[in-house]
Structure formats: C-alpha cells, structure tokens
Amino acid sequence: MSTHTVLGREVRMPVRIRLARAFMATYLVPAAAAQRLIDYSGLRILRLPAGRAMCTLVFVDYVDGDLGPYNEFGVSFMVRHHTAGAASRFGDLRALRTGQAGVLIHRLPVDGDFTLAAGRGIWGFPKELADFAVDHSGRTRSGALHQNGRLIADLTLRPGFATPNGRAAASSFDAYSHIDGVTRCTRWQMQSSGMRARIGGAQLRLGDHEIAAELRSLGLPRRALMSSSVSRLAMTFEDAIAI
C-alpha cells in the first residue's frame, strides 16, 4: 500500500469515497473537433458512427471521503484505451459496449484546496479552483460554475426514470489525466445506486469563460444524448501510472 503526503497530511492508497452524489449530461460532438481539443494528451478519441464522440459534463458532491467534502465539475471524453490495437470500423463501438474504453478528464474544477493538491499531485488530474452553486437535492438538479466572477457553465437536469429495481451497479474503468507534459492512467472503481436517467433532459447555458469557449467549439449547447443523476455513489481510486 503506497502513501502520499499532501499539504502535510498522509493519504493512503487506494483513496476511498464512501458517499458522493452526482448529475451529468452526455453529448455527441464532432470527433474531429474533440480530437483537436485533446491532442495534448497523446490519446485518441473513441469514434462513434457518423464521426461523433462522447463528451460528458458532470457535477459531483463529495460528501464523505478520504479527501474531505468538496464540489467538482468535470468535462470528460471517451477515448480509446492506450493499450488498444489499431482502430477498426466497429472496434471503438465494441470497446464502448464492453467497457474496454477509457475516459479522459479534460477539465476538473473543484472548490477545495486539499483536493486540488491531492488530485494534481497523486493522479495528475487537472484540478483548479472555482465557485459552485449546486442543488443535488431538488426534483430538478442544477449547477452553476464560475471562476473569477465569470460564468463557465450552468446545467439543469429534468427528472429521469429510475433504473430497474433500484439495484446498485458496479463498474470499473481507466481514467486518464494530463498535466505538466505527462499523461497518466488511473484505475477507477464505482458503485452506484439510486440512478435516474432519460434521453435528453438537460438544459445547458455557457458563459464567457475560456472553458465555455472550448465547449462552444464542440457545438454546445445542443440537445443532450442523455442525462442522469445518482443519489449514492462510492468510488475507489488507485495509484496513477504514467504512460
């Protein structure tokens, strides 16, 4: 078991999040534009039919975990796993269906100094400080993100349909990050329950911030492919590996 010292505090691996809640919207965006945006990572966008790629915007409230309570906003893209072979016509779609793809965390604003230091120092996640106004409890989920007084994104989700039987779902996949010229891969395990989902269902408003400009370069805002919320989420993060 490895340990890391963050701001004078010892963090033992793996890091565990015992309770979080989240809501998110996933969009189909032009794969070529998404690839240009993530070229810095050396990874390849997962290409879906009609030249599309998947981009997800997510607000997460970390209630109880090893890094303390904090809010987070993520912009991520589904990417081809770094160990995958040459692309084929249906290879990327098969990887998505079988859980063999990865996710690149492209942007990750947070509202806590400790999680910022830990995220950047342990996993290379591109965390930066921002201001959050989020409602995870209302019938309609909503989140607004500002940095230095400038709006990045304002996301509102309409209620979705409960997943069958409300049973917990477990998943694990590789999360990619890139800062300071290094791309890293982190094994990420999740256990979720209380999920609601629907086709569409998201309203997105973008501000005048640089991150908002990036999202506009992908054609957002537009109709979401799907939106979802999770009332109980547990996660485990292992050590990152430079690739």
Side-chain angles (χ1 to χ4, degrees):
M1 182 191 311
S2 64
T3 61
H4 301 267
T5 301
V6 178
L7 302 182
R9 175 176 151 192
E10 187 177 86
V11 178
R12 294 187 178 184
M13 305 302 290
V15 163
R16 302 185 186 279
I17 307 300
R18 290 168 287 278
L19 176 62
R21 49 188 181 170
F23 61 87
M24 66 206 75
T26 297
Y27 298 86
L28 291 179
V29 300
Q35 184 62 58
R36 287 193 295 271
L37 200 57
I38 72 152
D39 270 343
Y40 64 85
S41 69
L43 299 169
R44 307 306 297 172
I45 280 287
L46 203 72
R47 290 180 175 265
L48 303 181
R52 298 296 179 180
M54 293 178 66
C55 174
T56 297
L57 310 183
V58 58
F59 279 94
V60 186
D61 176 22
Y62 290 84
V63 179
D64 177 22
D66 292 348
L67 304 183
Y70 64 95
N71 286 287
E72 179 177 273
F73 173 78
V75 178
S76 66
F77 295 92
M78 296 302 299
V79 295
R80 192 176 300 155
H81 199 274
H82 72 283
T83 62
S88 65
R89 183 177 179 184
F90 299 108
D92 283 358
L93 189 59
R94 186 181 305 112
L96 180 64
R97 289 175 174 171
T98 59
Q100 296 177 340
V103 58
L104 172 65
I105 311 301
H106 173 64
R107 296 284 191 176
L108 202 61
V110 296
D111 65 355
D113 291 324
F114 185 79
T115 186
L116 182 147
R120 295 182 71 90
I122 298 174
W123 301 284
F125 286 137
K127 293 189 176 184
E128 54 187 304
L129 290 177
D131 300 312
F132 290 73
V134 191
D135 183 0
H136 285 271
S137 301
R139 178 172 172 80
T140 299
R141 307 293 198 269
S142 63
L145 180 72
H146 291 79
Q147 189 178 62
N148 299 323
R150 300 165 63 193
L151 175 67
I152 296 175
D154 188 331
L155 181 64
T156 302
L157 266 60
R158 297 193 298 274
F161 300 98
T163 56
N165 302 323
R167 291 178 297 183
S171 61
S172 63
F173 53 89
D174 287 342
Y176 293 97
S177 59
H178 181 96
I179 60 172
D180 301 328
V182 179
T183 297
R184 297 173 174 86
C185 180
T186 299
R187 195 65 176 166
W188 182 8
Q189 297 178 315
M190 295 189 296
Q191 184 87 17
S192 62
S193 61
M195 174 176 279
R196 305 181 71 91
R198 61 173 292 165
I199 301 299
Q203 181 177 348
L204 174 65
R205 181 169 65 93
L206 298 175
D208 61 350
H209 193 277
E210 290 80 5
I211 297 177
E214 284 187 349
L215 296 175
R216 283 198 184 90
S217 75
L218 301 172
L220 301 182
R222 64 172 63 190
R223 177 178 170 82
L225 172 65
M226 67 173 295
S227 57
S228 59
S229 61
V230 182
S231 61
R232 297 189 65 86
L233 182 61
M235 294 178 273
T236 300
F237 296 89
E238 299 180 13
D239 265 314
I241 300 172
I243 62 172

